[in-house]
Amino acid sequence: MIKISPSVLASDFSKLGDETIRMEKSGADMLHLDVMDGRFVPNISFGASVIKAIRNKSDIVFDVHLMIDEPLKYIEDFAKAGADIITFHIESSSPVEETTEKIISCGCRAGISIKPATSAEELFPYLDKLSMVLVMTVEPGFGGQSFMADMMPKVAALREEIKRRGLDVDVQVDGGIKASTVPEAAAAGANVFVAGSAVFGAEDAEKEISSLRDLAEKNYPQE
C-alpha cells in the first residue's frame, strides 16, 4: 500500500496544529515528525512535548523519526506523547534489539532507519520485529537536500528480502522526495514517501499528495 507522509520540517511551525489538520484533510496517510538532538545530526528540531501538544488536533498516524543519539532513553516519552510509529537509527548508540522491543512494548510500531553510508544488509537481522524500515535518501539533519539516487539499490535489496521472507514491512524513503524522484523510488520498492517542501510548499497540498501517490502506484512493482 502506497503511503504519503508529509514532513513537518517543511511546515509553518507557528501553526503546527493547523498544519497537522491541513495534512489530514489533504489526504496524507501519516505525518512525519523529525526529532533531532544536535548530536546525532547537526540540527535541533523539537521533542516529545511538541508532539503531545498537537496530538489532540488530529487522528492522523504520527510517524516519529528519532534522529537522536540515545533513542532508548526516550521511547516511553514519545509513546506517551502520541507516536504511532517510532523509527530510530541503527547507527545510534542504543542497543538495536532492546530499543526495538521497547518501542513494541510501549504499544507503538517499530522502525529502523539507515544513513546513506550504512548497508541495507545491516537491517536484515531485525526485519521480523519491524513494521517499517527507512532508507535515508539524503544525509539526515536538514530538509531541502537533493535526492540520492544511488540509495535505490538498498531499497531494492530490502524489498526483495522482505518479499523473500513473506514479511509485511513498509519501506520508507526520506530526502528529496518529489514528483521527479518518486517514480524511481517506487520502482525500487519503496511504498512510503516522506515529502517535505513538495507538499507543504505546494499551492494545493491535496492535489500534490494525490499526484505523488498516483506516481508511486504507477511505478511500484506489480506482484
Side-chain angles (χ1 to χ4, degrees):
M1 178 181 177
I2 301 299
K3 303 170 188 175
I4 307 298
S5 186
S7 172
V8 299
L9 280 185
S11 73
D12 181 346
F13 272 35
S14 71
K15 301 176 181 178
L16 197 49
D18 292 339
E19 292 281 65
T20 300
I21 294 168
R22 181 166 75 95
M23 288 301 108
E24 182 179 34
K25 289 182 176 179
S26 295
D29 302 282
M30 304 188 284
L31 189 68
H32 193 78
L33 297 148
D34 284 308
V35 177
M36 299 182 283
D37 62 1
R39 293 173 60 193
F40 184 74
V41 293
N43 199 4
I44 296 173
S45 57
F46 49 80
S49 60
V50 170
I51 293 173
K52 183 178 180 180
I54 61 172
R55 176 69 281 183
N56 66 356
K57 299 292 185 180
S58 169
D59 292 327
I60 195 171
V61 171
F62 275 12
D63 168 26
V64 177
H65 179 194
L66 301 182
M67 290 184 275
I68 63 179
D69 189 46
E70 298 179 279
L72 181 58
K73 288 185 177 181
Y74 304 99
I75 297 303
E76 194 167 339
D77 291 339
F78 286 101
K80 288 180 177 178
D84 296 294
I85 305 168
I86 299 178
T87 299
F88 68 99
H89 273 265
I90 200 168
E91 304 92 352
S92 75
S93 59
S94 292
V96 176
E97 290 189 15
E98 188 177 352
T99 306
T100 301
E101 293 289 354
K102 183 66 174 179
I103 293 170
I104 295 169
S105 70
C106 286
C108 297
R109 286 173 274 167
I112 302 179
S113 180
I114 52 174
K115 290 181 176 182
T118 304
S119 71
E121 287 72 20
E122 290 200 30
L123 290 172
F124 287 6
Y126 312 107
L127 289 175
D128 291 329
K129 295 287 182 70
L130 301 178
S131 295
M132 187 166 69
V133 290
L134 167 54
V135 176
M136 293 300 301
T137 46
V138 296
E139 287 293 342
F142 294 92
Q145 298 183 65
S146 297
F147 176 79
M148 298 171 69
D150 55 343
M151 296 297 106
M152 293 307 97
K154 293 198 289 188
V155 171
L158 283 162
R159 176 56 67 200
E160 180 59 31
E161 182 67 9
I162 289 164
K163 183 179 179 181
R164 185 184 71 81
R165 289 158 62 175
L167 301 174
D168 182 17
V169 181
D170 288 327
V171 179
Q172 184 178 63
V173 285
D174 180 2
I177 300 300
K178 53 188 176 181
S180 61
T181 57
V182 161
E184 186 173 2
N191 71 299
V192 183
F193 302 85
V194 178
S197 54
V199 172
F200 280 101
E203 186 173 331
D204 186 333
E206 182 176 3
K207 183 178 179 180
E208 183 66 20
I209 289 171
S210 178
S211 177
L212 293 174
R213 185 180 289 111
D214 287 346
L215 284 168
E217 288 175 346
K218 288 176 182 177
N219 288 275
Y220 188 78
Q222 299 299 312
E223 296 295 335

